Every structure is written in C-alpha cells, then in structure tokens.
Amino acid sequence: MNVYEERIRHEGLRSQVISAGVAQALIQDGMSVGVSGFTRSGDAKAVPRALAHRLETDTDNDMQPLRINLYSGASLAETDTILSQKNMIERRLPYQSDATLRARINRGEVAYVDQHLSHTAEWTRSGILGEFDIAIIEAVAITEEGGIIPTTSVGNSAIFVEQAKKVIVELNLAIPQEFEGIHDIYDPGPRPHRQPIPIVNPSDRIGTTYIPCHPEKIAGIVITNEYDSPSTIVQPDAETQLMANYILEFLENEVKNGRLPQNLAPLQSGVGSVANAVLSGLKDSSFENLEIYTEVMQDAVFELFEAGKVSFASSCSFTLSDHMLQKVVGNIGAYKDKVILRPQEISNHPEVIRRLGIIAINAALEVDIFGNVNSTHVGGTHMMNGLGGSGDFARNAGIGIFVTKSIAKGGQISSVVPFVSHVDHTEHDVDVLVTERGIADLRGLAPRERARAIIEKLAHPMYQDALWDYFDRASENGGNTPHLLDEALSWHQCYAETKDMRAVKTWRRRKQGASKEIQRKEVATASSL
C-alpha cells in the first residue's frame, strides 16, 4: 500500500488525484469559495497559490477579470496576500489580518464583512451568503466513506463542505496521520427547534473525528507537503507582563473571595502577545488542573501542558511559533488525550460559553471612560483586522476582560479616550479593563463610577488631566452617562490633524476661536444686507 492509499482510504477517490494547476481551473470569476484555515493554521495552500499564478501565466490579452468571494474560518497565511496583490478578491469574511488585503479594504476595493466568528456558519447554513461553488479543504486523510479529516484547524470547514457544490481536498503529507482522532465535528442542525449542544466540560466529545462528505462531491485531491506558516505574535514585553500580572492577581482574589474555584473557570484568550503572556504567567502561579476552552491555542497552552498546569484544552485551531509548531506536530500523539479541535461555531458558541462560565481575555485598540471598546477600527474608519471571536466570548463569558496599552505611537495616541471612535463591545459586555497602568473591575459600577475607575487606574498620566477635565465638564450638564457631544470625538479629530492627541486642549481652543471668528463675520455680513 503506497502513501496515497494509506491517506485516501476510499478506493474510488484514489483516481481523483490532480495537480494544483488543474484544480484551480475549476474556479471561475464570480464564484463563492470557502477555504479551510483559521489564524494561519490548516489553511488551503497549493490551490490558492496556483489560482494567483493563473494571471501570471495567462497570455490571452482578452482574459476576463477573475474575482471571487473568499470565505474562511479566520485569517489565512499567504492566500490573502497573493490574491489581494492580484486584485482577485471581491468579498471577504469573516476575519483577516493581512496588510495587503487591509489596504484594499480601506480603499473600498474589497467588500469586507467583519463578523462574529460564531455567526458565519449560521449565515452559510441559512443561505444568506448564497450558494457556495467550491470548498478547498486541507486534510490529513480521507476515510473509507469519503469523510475528510482536517489538519491543524477546523474553522468553518465542515459547513463549507456541507454547502459547497464541489470540494477540492488538499492532502497534506507534512501533517502526520496521528492527527486523526483529535477533531470533534458536530453539526447543531437547522433552526428553529435545535437541540441543546451537549457540552458541559471542555473535554466532552459530541461528534465525529471527520467532516462528513459525499464522495461524489470531491472534484479533486491535490497532494501537498508543507507546514503551516508560523504565528506572527509579538513576544511579551515589560508592559504586557505587567498586564498579565494584574490579571493573575485579580484571578487570585476571585478565588480568595469564593467567586471562582481553585482551578478557575475554563480560559479563553484571543490571539495576541498580552493574552499569550497571561496564560504563560500561569506557569508560576498556584493554579492547577486548569482547563482551556478557546478558539485558538497559542504557544502558552502547550507550555502549560509541559508544566503540568493544564489538564485539557478545547479549541478550533493551533496558532504556534515555528519552534512550537515543529514540536507539537512531531509529537501530536502525546497530546491526543488532552486536546480537541472543534468547528468554530461550537468553540465560539454563546450557549457553551455561557454554560461553562468562561474567563475571556481579548485585546482592544482603544477604550473610553465608560467602558466601551473599539477592537477593529483605527480612527473610527480604517479597518485593522476584525472583531474575530472577541464578541462571541465577551458578551457571554463569566468574566470578560479586555487589555490594551494606555498609549500608542510613543504617547501621541491615548488608548483611553472620552468616547471610542468605533464601538465593537458596548459597556454592557465589558467586565474588566487592563492597561500597564493597572486594572479596573467595572462589574456593578454605574457609568460615572466606571469613568472614575478607568481614568484613575488605566489612563496614562500625560492624559489623565485632560480626561478629568472632560468628565467634570460633562458631568455638570447632567445625565446618567455624561458626555459633551461636540467634544466626544475631538481627540480623534485632533490626532487626524496634528498627529498628536496631547495637543487636544490647544487644538480645541484654536478650533473654538476660529468658529467664533466665522460666526462674527457671518453676523457682520448679515447686518450689512
């Protein structure tokens, strides 16, 4: 039995092995294509690469444009880059983190739908996104019945396979067959009258180890042999470590006060250096027998396994540094009884998150004095990456924590502002905020109390006076959530013009003076008529 036969167990599909070049020819202009991949893991590689290459090799001067609707689990590795460079993406959802694609999105050249990660499968299942023409799914193997065994992520692969007219499988020989058995594929079924999702512990298995697929759907199998692109997470620095320490101290107090058990509640952390630092810091804590229920496993989870701190981890994908990726993939057998990879509509499902009482830790771009959080838009208009799973977890978590540094651009930007320029998470979904300056537990606080805690504990000293000035003057006007509507976004306007929020007071006085002069001239003109 050759290696293909070991991996392609359905005899009738062994004749379906084709090149990536042949496979990409199945994709035509205007098609909707769903690809595997979640935070650079388990993503389709060879076929998208060959698709981008089509424009380079086609010598037909009358070649028609080729633009597709590209749907995935979350961010992809090179696919977003190479297809964006060729202007081949018409519509993209639900998440991205690529600079080339981001630039096209912000120029209005790509229709980007920034979406809660648990919602994509529901939209797909209900037909909101229209018909799916092709699904391209990376796999370890194909079962005797045609089932597809994923690699290092599940993402939205299961629902894409279910809904697509045709499926292309990228069979990745670099991922060992021992990966079979770590996945748990569960379809909650159509609404209404859906049954409860029977997960009461992160370790509960409720589905199959493969994605069901009718063999006749599989239009081709492309053989590949390459690892995922490694994580691009920035290593923790002194400030992120401070934030991690604040959170660990907070969790210790929650245990001391009887609000959490000794092993806490299951933990979720979004992609990023701060969340990774928090989990990493648990190695030196007193906590034992921890559980993880998240959408992405970063290096810190496996460091905690090695330290004997974590008993089980449920996720949707692995997002690992090159060193850790080699280590985990090469020794996956040691983790098979400790990890599960699920579809993202299950890893991020509000029902399960609420039931488990998750402790959720996610990143913010900016926060305001009342606790609203902007996770996605720079200056309120320009997309950075996307909402990701933060909204799924924050609204439904037992404790929802957001972290950000208090300043950016060397102090030219305050991450604590009077009013965020874009709202991703309202104050109703935010329990705890953390910067390198401190931690603010907002639970049970009224809006004015929140504002005092945030300014005092989180804002950088160079901005505290201006924030107090805004809050005090707004409070004089009354209101449960006092604001000065003509100044609420003035900090962002100041930065747009001067590239420094520290100048907001003088900038505002200059604006007010100019406005009064204009009014004086208008009055004088009117009087002369």
Side-chain angles (χ1 to χ4, degrees):
M1 181 182 291
N2 63 39
V3 67
Y4 293 178
E5 291 175 337
E6 292 177 359
R7 301 254 188 168
I8 308 173
R9 299 177 204 150
H10 188 287
E11 291 186 10
L13 290 174
R14 291 172 186 162
S15 62
Q16 293 292 89
V17 175
I18 58 177
S19 69
V22 171
Q24 65 83 26
L26 297 172
I27 302 171
Q28 300 300 318
D29 181 54
M31 281 188 169
S32 292
V33 180
V35 297
S36 64
F38 192 103
T39 57
R40 305 171 64 87
S41 298
D43 55 327
K45 301 172 177 67
V47 177
R49 193 179 297 142
L51 180 64
H53 189 57
R54 183 196 299 185
L55 295 185
E56 297 174 2
T57 58
D58 199 315
T59 58
D60 183 0
N61 292 328
D62 297 323
M63 183 184 64
Q64 296 298 313
L66 177 57
R67 285 169 63 82
I68 63 172
N69 301 319
L70 181 63
Y71 306 134
S72 64
S75 56
L76 303 172
E78 69 171 4
T79 295
D80 279 334
T81 304
I82 59 177
L83 295 187
S84 295
Q85 288 173 342
K86 302 295 174 57
N87 195 23
M88 298 175 75
I89 300 177
E90 176 70 26
R91 181 174 298 274
R92 182 77 172 89
L93 68 75
Y95 184 84
Q96 60 79 40
S97 61
D98 179 75
T100 305
L101 176 56
R102 181 185 307 129
R104 287 199 178 274
I105 290 168
N106 288 322
R107 289 196 298 266
E109 297 167 359
V110 174
Y112 177 51
V113 181
D114 179 27
Q115 186 180 43
H116 295 297
L117 295 186
S118 68
H119 289 190
T120 310
E122 301 286 18
W123 278 17
T124 303
R125 184 178 290 112
S126 64
I128 290 172
L129 297 177
E131 294 185 336
F132 272 66
D133 297 287
I134 290 177
I136 311 173
I137 309 298
E138 185 176 81
V140 169
I142 300 174
T143 71
E144 290 81 357
E145 293 77 27
I148 299 170
I149 301 168
T151 59
T152 52
S153 73
V154 179
N156 282 316
S157 294
I159 193 65
F160 291 161
V161 168
E162 176 188 304
Q163 296 293 318
K165 299 173 184 176
K166 296 180 180 179
V167 177
I168 299 170
V169 177
E170 289 196 5
L171 194 65
N172 192 346
L173 304 183
I175 308 300
Q177 294 186 65
E178 286 75 19
F179 261 74
E180 182 174 358
I182 70 169
H183 309 92
D184 187 60
I185 311 301
Y186 178 81
D187 184 348
R191 298 180 292 191
H193 313 305
R194 177 183 289 171
Q195 294 297 306
I197 297 172
I199 294 176
V200 296
N201 297 289
S203 58
D204 287 342
R205 287 187 170 276
I206 60 174
T208 63
T209 58
Y210 57 87
I211 298 171
C213 181
H214 295 295
E216 59 269 23
K217 262 195 177 185
I218 297 179
I221 301 170
V222 176
I223 307 300
T224 67
N225 194 336
E226 59 181 297
Y227 282 128
D228 293 327
S229 298
S231 165
T232 56
I233 295 171
V234 177
Q235 290 302 307
D237 57 21
E239 291 181 335
T240 56
Q241 192 56 55
L242 270 176
M243 288 186 265
N245 293 341
Y246 294 141
I247 294 174
L248 292 174
E249 183 179 357
F250 166 80
L251 295 175
E252 289 170 355
N253 287 331
E254 289 295 290
V255 173
K256 181 179 179 181
N257 290 317
R259 291 189 287 265
L260 285 174
Q262 182 58 44
N263 68 332
L264 306 178
L267 297 161
Q268 177 265 344
S269 65
V271 175
S273 59
V274 177
N276 199 56
V278 172
L279 292 186
S280 203
L282 289 167
K283 289 185 298 185
D284 302 318
S285 72
S286 60
F287 301 121
E288 304 281 349
N289 199 33
L290 298 168
E291 294 179 310
I292 308 290
Y293 192 89
T294 187
E295 77 266 64
V296 56
M297 280 190 240
Q298 301 180 92
D299 285 22
V301 174
F302 291 94
E303 293 171 3
L304 291 171
F305 273 130
E306 293 174 359
K309 293 287 188 177
V310 168
S311 60
F312 202 89
S314 169
S315 182
C316 174
S317 76
F318 299 152
T319 298
L320 306 172
S321 66
D322 186 56
H323 166 73
M324 188 62 75
L325 180 66
Q326 302 279 344
K327 188 174 183 179
V328 171
V329 170
N331 192 33
I332 192 62
Y335 301 102
K336 285 185 72 170
D337 62 343
K338 300 176 182 177
V339 300
I340 287 178
L341 293 182
R342 308 181 190 274
Q344 69 194 65
E345 69 170 321
I346 305 301
S347 67
N348 290 46
H349 202 288
E351 173 193 337
V352 180
I353 295 167
R354 178 68 63 85
R355 180 181 297 134
L356 298 181
I358 301 295
I359 300 169
I361 306 167
N362 290 283
L365 286 180
E366 63 177 0
V367 303
D368 67 32
I369 60 175
F370 296 108
N372 298 293
V373 170
N374 172 14
S375 297
T376 59
H377 283 73
V378 176
T381 59
H382 281 59
M383 174 59 65
M384 178 56 73
N385 295 330
L387 185 65
S390 59
D392 295 322
F393 282 93
R395 172 158 289 188
N396 302 287
I399 304 174
I401 303 171
F402 282 93
V403 297
T404 183
K405 293 185 178 183
S406 66
I407 55 174
K409 299 287 186 182
Q412 294 174 331
I413 295 175
S414 174
S415 300
V416 182
V417 293
F419 194 26
V420 290
S421 56
H422 176 90
V423 180
D424 289 301
H425 312 280
T426 75
E427 73 273 23
H428 308 294
D429 302 328
V430 180
D431 296 319
V432 178
L433 290 174
V434 188
T435 72
E436 83 286 355
R437 306 297 305 179
I439 185 167
D441 183 354
L442 306 178
R443 296 173 298 177
L445 299 186
R448 294 186 188 222
E449 294 171 322
R450 283 174 167 243
R452 295 186 186 100
I454 289 169
I455 296 172
E456 178 183 339
K457 297 179 179 180
L458 304 182
H460 195 280
M462 72 174 71
Y463 287 103
Q464 279 181 318
D465 286 346
L467 288 168
W468 282 123
D469 175 67
Y470 176 89
F471 175 64
D472 290 340
R473 288 186 295 113
S475 297
E476 291 174 1
N477 291 338
N480 187 52
T481 307
H483 266 303
L484 300 172
L485 296 183
D486 59 338
E487 292 185 27
L489 296 177
S490 63
W491 290 39
H492 303 89
Q493 293 173 320
C494 174
Y495 182 77
E497 292 187 18
T498 69
K499 301 304 178 187
D500 197 335
M501 284 186 180
R502 290 172 293 191
V504 65
K505 285 187 176 181
T506 55
W507 176 87
R508 188 168 58 244
R509 284 195 295 268
R510 187 171 67 251
K511 285 288 185 180
Q512 290 170 343
S515 177
K516 289 179 180 178
E517 179 61 19
I518 292 172
Q519 291 175 2
R520 186 191 64 78
K521 289 181 178 179
E522 288 176 346
V523 170
T525 300
S527 299
S528 65
L529 295 177

